[in-house]
Amino acid sequence: MNSLPHCGRHPGARAGWECQRCQALLCPGCVYTRQAGAVALVSCSRCGESAQPLTARRAEIASFAERIPWALGAAFTRDGLATLLGAGVVIWLLRHLGCLGVVFSVCVFFGLFFATLSNASRGESGIATPELSELFHDVIRPGLLGLMALLIVIGPALAWIVYRPGGWEASWSGDPVLWGLAVVSVLYVPMACIHAGLGGSVLGMLNPLAIVGGALRLGRDYAIAVGATGLLLVAAFLLTFLSAFLGSVPVLSGVLGTCLQLIGPMLMARTLGALMYVRGDDLGLGPQSDYQELLLPGATPRGSAPAAQAPGQPPTTAAPSARPPRPEAIELEPEAIELEPEAPAPVAPPPASAVEQLVEEVNRGDLPAAARLFSTLQTPQAVPAATLYALARSAAANEQYTLAAQALNVAGRSSDPEIAPNALLVLARILENRLQRPTDARAVLDHLVARYPGTPAAAQGRQLLGR
């Protein structure tokens, strides 16, 4: 946290915005909110120009170790406890349906484990409910992945015990090879579980180059994760032991005991998911933009408008200084979606805020003017996602599909949980049906399903992928 920027006007205050005109770093006391049509824009209280929120790498704002308490505490939301109770009922019932029921209970357990890991890797709270729409993918596959993880833990040690000189009768406590294999397995398995929970294959869990290489890239944070999961494993054994003392009330004792047995593994899943939430970009799990956070999330502007400028009016200061180079396009997995410009050649932005003018032109329905302004923006991500979505709809209605795709591409990368999923879905449809780019459309749909799995847009995206 000490390396994060401070306000250029109040050195003791943390900066959360950067003025697009004077390039000053600003704290909440140096910015104010002004209305541009139906959109509220944060602006510099000195010159009135729009201020861009500052972001930093998630790991720089709060380390993985600092986020472990969040990962554990956020499991016990109301929905998370309801999911835990429902899973306890299902698993308890399956255990009483014979051998086949026991097998399916194991599959449901690991499906819950990997779904929770994936859920935490996106920064979400609670315990995730696994999808059960496809028998193999949603039930059998998680079971195979979980059994592979268990095999990695006990397989090498068991093989050594069987084939070592002396076999089972030889000393266990004094066998350095046995202890070495146990340590290697404990260090290996968390990374293998992360690989499996984020879409990896069963055979991929046995690839030491990928697993060990990923652990080395995570370094100290991975060591912390291994230690935390080890402590949680001890807690899981204690909870399992306590579950035997819940009495003999029919059904109720069995369900509550099963729920207690699930708490430890779910907390381990959330811990490993939190590691990916903080450091997933180091493993190439997404573009770096997905691992950026606002420096001051939730901060409220407390400044006032410039004295010579009435609230809600465009700034009257001199023309803006040169802006920094336009950042490179954020990549959508598995490859970047690059779009050729369709709007006229860029022109110099007007003295007033280009973002504010773009909002006004979109609200008025002036598509040519909005297209010209959009093409001149140095930071298109500063435009509200709702405005970009409206611009894309207008462009598509006028058969300007490349312009629509450009606006949707930026809106789909925004942090707006309501606009971004729909923008990605529409972008994929335009790429496939209008721009004849099915490969890029599939890349966008894959990104949509991975980034917003529980949204209606993702459900439609899965249907499109299936076709």
Side-chain angles (χ1 to χ4, degrees), residues 1-374:
M1 291 290 289
N2 294 331
S3 62
L4 298 179
H6 288 75
C7 178
R9 299 169 188 170
H10 302 92
R14 189 77 66 186
W17 293 267
E18 180 180 15
C19 178
Q20 294 185 347
R21 179 183 299 274
C22 57
Q23 306 299 309
L25 300 181
L26 307 174
C27 66
C30 296
V31 291
Y32 72 102
T33 302
R34 60 188 170 95
Q35 290 296 129
V39 179
L41 296 178
V42 177
S43 304
C44 175
S45 60
R46 178 170 295 181
C47 67
E49 180 69 16
S50 294
Q52 178 74 17
L54 290 176
T55 62
R57 190 166 178 257
R58 192 172 286 153
E60 297 174 357
I61 296 177
S63 67
F64 165 64
E66 294 172 320
R67 295 178 191 263
I68 290 179
W70 161 82
L72 301 181
F76 301 104
T77 62
R78 183 176 61 182
D79 291 341
L81 291 174
T83 301
L84 185 70
L85 179 60
V89 172
V90 172
I91 292 175
W92 180 83
L93 286 173
L94 288 173
R95 288 174 178 173
H96 290 76
L97 297 180
C99 295
L100 187 60
V102 172
V103 171
F104 275 101
S105 71
V106 171
C107 293
V108 171
F109 166 77
F110 282 114
L112 188 71
F113 180 90
F114 291 126
T116 300
L117 191 157
S118 179
N119 192 62
S121 73
R122 298 188 295 271
E124 300 176 9
S125 301
I127 297 172
T129 304
E131 294 186 10
L132 300 175
S133 57
E134 297 181 8
L135 178 62
F136 177 80
H137 186 272
D138 299 328
V139 179
I140 298 177
R141 179 179 175 275
L144 293 176
L145 293 171
L147 292 176
M148 179 58 70
L150 292 177
L151 182 61
I152 293 172
V153 172
I154 65 175
L158 184 61
W160 169 251
I161 290 173
V162 172
Y163 293 104
R164 67 180 175 172
W168 291 91
E169 290 77 16
S171 172
W172 289 28
S173 59
D175 189 341
V177 176
L178 181 62
W179 283 102
L181 290 173
V183 171
V184 170
S185 297
V186 169
L187 294 176
Y188 190 95
V189 166
M191 195 68 219
C193 289
I194 290 173
H195 171 82
L198 299 179
S201 64
V202 174
L203 294 179
M205 297 175 68
L206 298 175
N207 182 356
L209 294 179
I211 302 301
V212 176
L216 293 176
R217 284 195 293 274
L218 296 175
R220 176 175 177 270
D221 283 342
Y222 184 70
I224 293 174
V226 172
T229 53
L231 293 175
L232 289 171
L233 183 61
V234 173
F237 281 122
L238 292 176
L239 290 173
T240 301
F241 177 75
L242 290 176
S243 67
F245 296 91
L246 291 177
S248 57
V249 180
V251 181
L252 181 62
S253 297
V255 169
L256 292 180
T258 303
C259 291
L260 281 178
Q261 295 166 15
L262 291 175
I263 291 176
M266 295 308 106
L267 294 181
M268 285 189 278
R270 285 199 55 81
T271 300
L272 297 177
L275 177 60
M276 291 299 95
Y277 178 66
V278 178
R279 299 287 305 278
D281 53 338
D282 288 323
L283 301 181
L285 297 179
Q288 292 185 354
S289 60
D290 285 352
Y291 295 86
Q292 298 282 316
E293 284 186 350
L294 294 174
L295 290 184
L296 295 179
T300 303
R302 301 192 302 268
S304 56
Q309 176 187 329
Q313 298 297 321
T316 57
T317 54
S321 59
R323 299 178 186 269
R326 184 169 183 169
E328 295 181 358
I330 301 172
E331 294 185 354
L332 294 177
E333 294 180 294
E335 57 185 5
I337 307 302
E338 299 177 355
L339 300 169
E340 296 296 329
E342 181 176 297
V347 297
S353 167
V355 173
E356 178 187 358
Q357 289 194 8
L358 176 59
V359 172
E360 293 176 352
E361 298 298 348
V362 171
N363 289 339
R364 282 202 298 263
D366 190 343
L367 179 60
R372 285 193 297 271
L373 286 170
F374 181 75

